[in-house]
Amino acid sequence: MDNYTLEDSAKKYTQYDMIQSNTDLPQFPNMRSEMLFAVLKKGSSSAGNGELYALVAALAQLGLDTHEMIPATNDRKEKKEARARQLKVLAGDYFSSRFYNLLSQAGQVEMVRQMSDAICDVNRIKMNLYTKMLQWKVSAEDYLHLSVHIKSQLYASFSRQLEGGLSRSWPELLQGYTKCELLLEEIKRVDHVGSFRLSWAFWHIMQSGTKEEKRQLQQQEEPDHTKLRTLILKYNVKAQLLQMLESQFKLVSDKIRSLESDKLILELFRIGEPFTRYLTAPKAIEEG
């Protein structure tokens, strides 16, 4: 695809003035989608459909991620907030429907079934995570592990389209880079305490904190930014996340180097350049 990315291909399905003017959307899952396209090109008898499969996977994932942004309650009655919520529902439904439409047009009926099953798996994992959260039974490790599966399960289902050793390597490569993605997001989220309850940092402190700290976190609907900053510094959250990102990126890099195709190795490292840039930047070094 050269400089023309999957995100460019998806723009005609994702860029609508009404949506962009009235609500925000999640980040396009470009990294996982480009990874899928790269491995399908190299190790699949379905290589001719590689771009189609990567595109529909991206749209289906975007639909799932958009629905994830919908507030659990609709208490806010402001017209603007209500419209944004409604558009998220409609946008998520629309993106989810496009994978079915595009695959049907291409006569890929079996792939529709495969992706539908994978979406069901994603929703099952989400419910497992949310149930544990409501019961206060989530460790920081659980949170990260299940979040990686939620983000990667749809793409992992394409293992059956791959051949030979690549079909066995794909889940590990995918989960490795997805974990790097999530860790980088968590590092950046530390500076935005508004989303603190839905973060690795929250569950880490709930696991490691004192009884009083845990009680305060459980009872606070609106976070006290000053207290949260104190806890984040006390438990060295950002440095721990950075160390985890460095370790994970090394593991997945070693896995990539073990692949047989030099061309695929180069392509996967190109896709992972955001991690290399972040880890070698002076800011990352200072945070560590």
Side-chain angles (χ1 to χ4, degrees):
M1 294 176 67
D2 300 321
N3 294 325
Y4 187 72
T5 66
L6 283 164
E7 188 168 6
D8 294 322
S9 299
K11 283 180 179 177
K12 59 184 174 183
Y13 307 114
T14 61
Q15 292 192 347
Y16 290 96
D17 290 341
M18 180 177 289
I19 295 175
Q20 293 179 332
S21 299
N22 294 283
T23 192
D24 55 332
L25 292 176
Q27 185 175 350
F28 187 84
N30 209 46
M31 180 173 290
R32 278 160 281 153
S33 303
E34 288 198 354
M35 284 182 69
L36 177 60
F37 182 50
V39 297
L40 286 172
K41 280 193 301 183
K42 176 59 187 174
S44 172
S45 58
S46 305
N49 290 314
E51 185 172 353
L52 171 64
Y53 290 170
L55 175 61
V56 295
L59 291 171
Q61 185 66 55
L62 189 62
L64 289 165
D65 293 343
T66 302
H67 282 155
E68 190 78 8
M69 296 176 70
I70 299 169
T73 61
N74 196 21
D75 294 335
R76 296 187 177 183
K77 302 300 182 183
E78 293 92 339
K79 184 176 181 180
K80 185 177 180 180
E81 292 288 346
R83 177 178 294 178
R85 188 180 191 279
Q86 290 168 355
L87 282 172
K88 278 189 174 67
V89 173
L90 293 173
D93 290 345
Y94 173 73
F95 298 145
S96 298
S97 71
R98 291 306 299 178
F99 91 83
Y100 177 87
N101 178 257
L102 290 169
L103 289 173
S104 297
Q105 288 178 347
Q108 297 284 319
V109 178
E110 184 56 39
M111 183 57 66
V112 172
R113 184 179 297 110
Q114 176 179 313
M115 289 189 62
S116 297
D117 289 344
I119 289 170
C120 288
D121 288 339
V122 172
N123 288 325
R124 175 183 54 78
I125 299 168
K126 281 184 182 179
M127 288 306 300
N128 186 15
L129 175 59
Y130 298 157
T131 300
K132 286 187 174 184
M133 283 180 167
L134 288 171
Q135 296 172 345
W136 300 101
K137 293 181 178 178
V138 178
S139 67
E141 184 178 354
D142 289 337
Y143 169 82
L144 189 59
H145 176 75
L146 290 172
S147 295
V148 168
H149 277 282
I150 288 168
K151 293 292 186 184
S152 64
Q153 188 69 26
L154 182 60
Y155 293 88
S157 68
F158 286 88
S159 292
R160 66 190 72 176
Q161 271 68 52
L162 300 172
E163 299 167 350
L166 198 52
S167 67
R168 296 185 294 274
S169 299
W170 170 237
E172 189 175 346
L173 291 169
L174 172 64
Q175 288 184 19
Y177 261 177
T178 303
K179 189 172 183 179
C180 287
E181 272 192 278
L182 283 166
L183 287 168
L184 187 53
E185 287 177 12
E186 293 293 331
I187 291 170
K188 294 176 179 178
R189 186 181 291 181
V190 169
D191 297 321
H192 302 281
V193 292
S195 58
F196 184 71
R197 264 189 178 270
L198 299 174
S199 70
W200 180 89
F202 178 86
W203 296 105
H204 173 64
I205 295 172
M206 282 296 299
Q207 186 176 339
S208 306
T210 64
K211 288 184 178 180
E212 178 59 22
E213 289 166 347
K214 294 177 183 179
R215 185 189 65 78
Q216 289 179 1
L217 288 178
Q218 287 178 315
Q219 293 179 350
Q220 285 180 347
E221 300 232 350
E222 293 295 328
D224 182 319
H225 289 197
T226 301
K227 290 181 179 178
L228 287 182
R229 288 280 170 226
T230 300
L231 289 174
I232 287 168
L233 289 172
K234 176 181 177 180
Y235 291 100
N236 213 17
V237 169
K238 188 172 281 191
Q240 287 195 60
L241 284 167
L242 181 61
Q243 185 177 29
M244 290 164 65
L245 176 58
E246 289 176 331
S247 298
Q248 182 59 42
F249 185 63
K250 183 180 184 306
L251 286 173
V252 73
S253 295
D254 290 344
K255 182 66 179 179
I256 290 171
R257 291 188 186 96
S258 71
L259 297 175
E260 296 179 0
S261 169
D262 291 340
K263 187 175 181 180
L264 181 58
I265 290 172
L266 290 173
E267 180 65 7
L268 291 176
F269 275 124
R270 181 197 65 78
I271 293 169
E273 281 177 0
F275 305 128
T276 304
R277 288 196 300 268
Y278 184 84
L279 289 169
T280 56
K283 182 179 178 182
I285 295 170
E286 291 171 7
E287 288 172 349

